[in-house]
Amino acid sequence: MSTHPSEQAGQLIDGKAIARALTEKIGQDVAAFIEQGNPLPGLAVVLVGNDPASEVYVKNKAIQTHRAGMRSFMHMLPESTSQDELLDLIAQLNANPRIHGVLVQLPLPKQIDPVVVTNAIAPHKDVDGLGEVNAGRLALGMDGIVPCTPLGCLMLLKSVHKDLTGKHAVVIGASNLVGKPMAQLLLRENCTVSVGHIHTQDIRGLARTGDILVVATGKHGLVRGDWIKPGATVIDVGITRVPTHEGRTRLVGDVAFDEARHVAGHITPVPGGVGPMTIACLLHNTLQAARVTQALLKNGDAS
Ligand code: NAD
């Protein structure tokens, strides 16, 4: 058993507070970066279509980017945008020296292939880390840009456990966006990693073996209290908007929180857990991308 002092049964992992501290630190690092004669880091966010949830996400990203002292470029394109039009914009953003990070908000309208689009972003500007170069680097254990949500989850885990070595980590959900890179990151931390998905037999039995349980399925309330190993650390990535009895809506996660909190040692709430960390990690990745670009320029090999 770990002896980390913050380990007590049923503690909430306050993603909001951890993200606020990280954003503050990034703001200080940005100021120091500029003082050293470097340009203001710039992040371009592209939204295609009018999905209300995505609109909220990209506006939040712009606000937080400004807050960290970086420059934000927003590109709002109509739902009818063709793949070629989007690829043209990405080529312009790749070539723009004031832009260090490019993020295309997912999901995209059906006429656009998200894999083609993410692979079109220059690898050193791919701040979502979803392109084949950064995904391959992560799989090979090489330095690169790590996808924001799994990176945020890892930081939350590290706020509880200084060292993850030897722990059994169960990841439920195997998407390219969350589950797969999460599993790679946990492997890198010397965990024994199991990945469950829609075709896994006895997913509850698998979940119960996890000292660490990361859930990213989009199926709200899927993970019940009896899916959780007593004392486990639970990270709930899921976000679903559901109607309330009062005719409003609220956000819920993939974990049945009221049951799970009595079994878990530590658990993230929804909202206020992984969500804020995703944005903070986007800022982290943008500053990292700006640093890499400046280093490439100094060496004379930036494209
Ligand atoms: P996805 O639909 O691409 O992948 C879902 C995965 O879950 C798949 O691998 C599927 O096999 C698995 N799955 C689905 N139902 C299952 C079941 N009953 N049992 C076991 N496995 C099951 O989703 P995604 O993009 O990875 O997102 C997952 C959730 O995380 C969504 O709610 C999304 O909104 C949320 N999300 C949150 C953040 C954040 O910042 N908090 C970021 C990204 C995604």
Side-chain angles (χ1 to χ4, degrees):
M1 285 295 287
S2 167
T3 53
H4 194 257
S6 69
E7 285 193 357
Q8 288 164 24
Q11 272 194 27
L12 270 193
I13 304 174
D14 188 348
K16 235 178 172 173
I18 296 170
R20 199 180 309 121
L22 176 60
T23 305
E24 256 177 52
K25 168 80 171 68
I26 294 165
Q28 291 161 9
D29 290 349
V30 168
F33 181 71
I34 295 164
E35 230 165 74
Q36 288 155 12
N38 294 301
L40 216 60
L43 170 66
V45 176
V46 182
L47 174 64
V48 186
N50 315 306
D51 176 53
S54 294
E55 275 178 18
V56 172
Y57 293 148
V58 299
K59 278 183 190 147
N60 275 341
K61 284 170 184 170
I63 291 168
Q64 297 294 332
T65 306
H66 285 298
R67 224 169 251 170
M70 302 194 243
R71 196 177 272 143
S72 161
F73 301 82
M74 297 274 281
H75 294 267
M76 316 288 254
L77 305 182
E79 182 83 24
S80 59
T81 302
S82 71
Q83 181 166 300
D84 284 345
E85 285 168 330
L86 181 55
L87 292 175
D88 280 349
L89 173 62
I90 291 172
Q92 288 169 34
L93 300 175
N94 283 343
N96 185 337
R98 297 201 313 157
I99 291 173
H100 302 92
V102 178
L103 180 143
V104 177
Q105 184 69 39
L106 301 177
L108 288 164
K110 55 184 179 318
Q111 71 275 17
I112 302 177
D113 183 344
V115 176
V116 172
V117 168
T118 42
N119 282 332
I121 300 169
H124 64 284
K125 296 193 180 190
D126 172 24
V127 282
D128 232 355
L130 298 176
E132 58 195 9
V133 171
N134 285 306
R137 285 181 163 267
L138 180 60
L140 293 174
M142 296 165 69
D143 285 343
I145 302 180
V146 176
C148 306
T149 300
L151 181 60
C153 292
L154 182 64
M155 289 180 184
L156 293 177
L157 285 169
K158 290 246 174 137
S159 75
V160 177
H161 307 277
K162 265 194 186 142
D163 185 3
L164 298 173
T165 301
K167 294 194 185 294
H168 185 206
V170 175
V171 179
I172 305 185
S175 68
N176 291 339
L177 184 63
V178 188
K180 282 185 203 158
M182 188 74 242
Q184 297 288 359
L185 276 179
L186 289 165
L187 256 184
R188 205 189 252 196
E189 295 294 325
N190 304 321
C191 291
T192 303
V193 182
S194 302
V195 181
H197 47 77
I198 188 78
H199 301 294
T200 300
Q201 290 175 17
D202 189 16
I203 189 81
R204 171 179 164 277
L206 177 69
R208 270 187 75 83
T209 62
D211 305 309
I212 287 165
L213 182 61
V214 181
V215 190
T217 65
K219 300 286 176 288
H220 65 91
L222 175 74
V223 173
R224 308 293 301 263
D226 65 357
W227 288 43
I228 294 167
K229 180 176 179 178
T233 301
V234 179
I235 305 288
D236 188 355
V237 183
I239 308 179
T240 308
R241 191 167 282 284
V242 296
T244 65
H245 294 308
E246 298 83 38
R248 300 203 190 116
T249 62
R250 68 187 180 103
L251 294 179
V252 292
D254 292 352
V255 177
F257 182 79
D258 289 339
E259 294 176 12
R261 64 187 302 193
H262 298 298
V263 188
H266 293 80
I267 184 165
T268 57
V270 176
V274 175
M277 288 304 289
T278 295
I279 300 190
C281 287
L282 175 65
L283 306 177
H284 169 277
N285 284 355
T286 303
L287 176 58
Q288 183 193 340
R291 285 200 169 115
V292 169
T293 299
Q294 287 309 105
L296 288 172
L297 281 171
K298 277 185 192 138
N299 293 330
D301 54 0
S303 52

